[in-house]
Amino acid sequence: MYGLVNQAVADLVRSTFGEDAWSEIAEKADADEEYLPMDPYPDAVTYRLVAAVSAHAEAEPAAGLESFGEHWTRFTGREGYGSLFDQTGRTVREFVGNLNRLHAQVKLGFPELTPPRFDVLDREDGSFELRYYSEREGLAPMVVGLLRGIGQHTAEVVEVSQVGHRADDGHDTFIVRARPV
Ligand code: HEM
């Protein structure tokens, strides 16, 4: 993944546990401490970093990924993508409907991007079904954190439950309900 992602992991660790913890985690993950945002790195580096962060926090890997997803929305909002966020949607529902376009826009600057794809289906009770397609394994918990993070931008409380797993049907399925704080 692009170095921007690893920078976001570093930023989360530094702001939560401090600089020394980041050095320790990078060493345990057999990874560099610094990354260039626009350079692609092997996915394995990101996976090792996230696993080492979870171990450091004595959290389950899924919880680590969820925190990372939530942090990604803060980090990209600060790192020059704030206006892209504002254009993408004023509600979580609107935002997820534009996620494929958001990544298409991002790909203009990151040509080797392998973005996820999302399909959204509205339900009668006001919630919606979100289908997440990825070439990568195991990132569903990150999507949960990302949805909560979008809610922080749109001032909504987000309830998410995963109802389908890749192993069953090739994509992850979530039921999402967002309501104003
Ligand atoms: C302006 C904000 C955003 C930027 C700049 C951005 C950019 C990126 C980048 C650089 C990657 C790594 C992919 C690669 O290197 O091949 C990525 C992956 C990903 N993004 Fe975004 N993204 C943004 C917002 C979001 C949001 C709000 C979501 C919410 C669901 C999201 C969902 C994901 C997921 C799930 C991945 C993991 C890759 C995969 O599933 O294969 N992104 N994004």
Side-chain angles (χ1 to χ4, degrees):
M1 291 202 225
Y2 273 98
L4 186 70
V5 177
N6 299 336
Q7 282 188 329
V9 179
D11 185 71
L12 173 61
V13 172
R14 285 182 170 125
S15 60
T16 316
F17 303 112
E19 189 61 42
D20 291 351
W22 172 242
S23 303
E24 212 176 283
I25 284 166
E27 197 183 329
K28 280 206 181 118
D30 193 20
D32 293 338
E33 285 185 40
E34 301 298 334
Y35 295 89
L36 296 169
M38 311 284 286
D39 274 12
Y41 296 85
D43 281 6
V45 173
T46 311
Y47 279 84
R48 288 204 305 273
L49 283 172
V50 172
V53 175
S54 306
H56 181 90
E58 293 180 8
E60 293 294 321
L65 268 172
E66 202 175 309
S67 303
F68 174 65
E70 204 169 324
H71 189 66
W72 180 243
T73 59
R74 281 193 290 268
F75 180 78
T76 49
R78 271 197 263 120
E79 291 295 306
Y81 299 95
S83 63
L84 187 53
F85 254 95
D86 296 341
Q87 290 160 29
T88 302
R90 283 157 302 168
T91 61
V92 171
R93 170 64 187 84
E94 197 185 345
F95 205 104
V96 294
N98 288 320
L99 272 176
N100 297 337
R101 247 172 289 175
L102 178 148
H103 283 107
Q105 182 78 27
V106 170
K107 197 172 163 75
L108 298 175
F110 294 78
E112 288 176 49
L113 192 80
T114 311
R117 182 166 69 80
F118 293 94
D119 288 344
V120 195
L121 289 93
D122 288 310
R123 287 155 48 98
E124 277 181 9
D125 64 0
S127 62
F128 61 85
E129 183 177 316
L130 182 70
R131 294 185 184 165
Y132 160 55
Y133 298 82
S134 172
E135 291 186 15
R136 300 182 172 96
E137 294 281 343
L139 298 182
M142 179 180 160
V143 173
V144 175
L146 282 159
L147 290 165
R148 298 228 166 88
I150 297 169
Q152 282 160 17
H153 273 268
T154 60
E156 285 167 287
V157 179
V158 183
E159 284 168 27
V160 192
S161 53
Q162 186 168 358
V163 297
H165 297 262
R166 268 172 93 98
D168 316 326
D169 49 18
H171 57 268
D172 294 297
T173 308
F174 306 89
I175 301 293
V176 186
R177 182 184 296 278
R179 49 188 165 74
V181 172

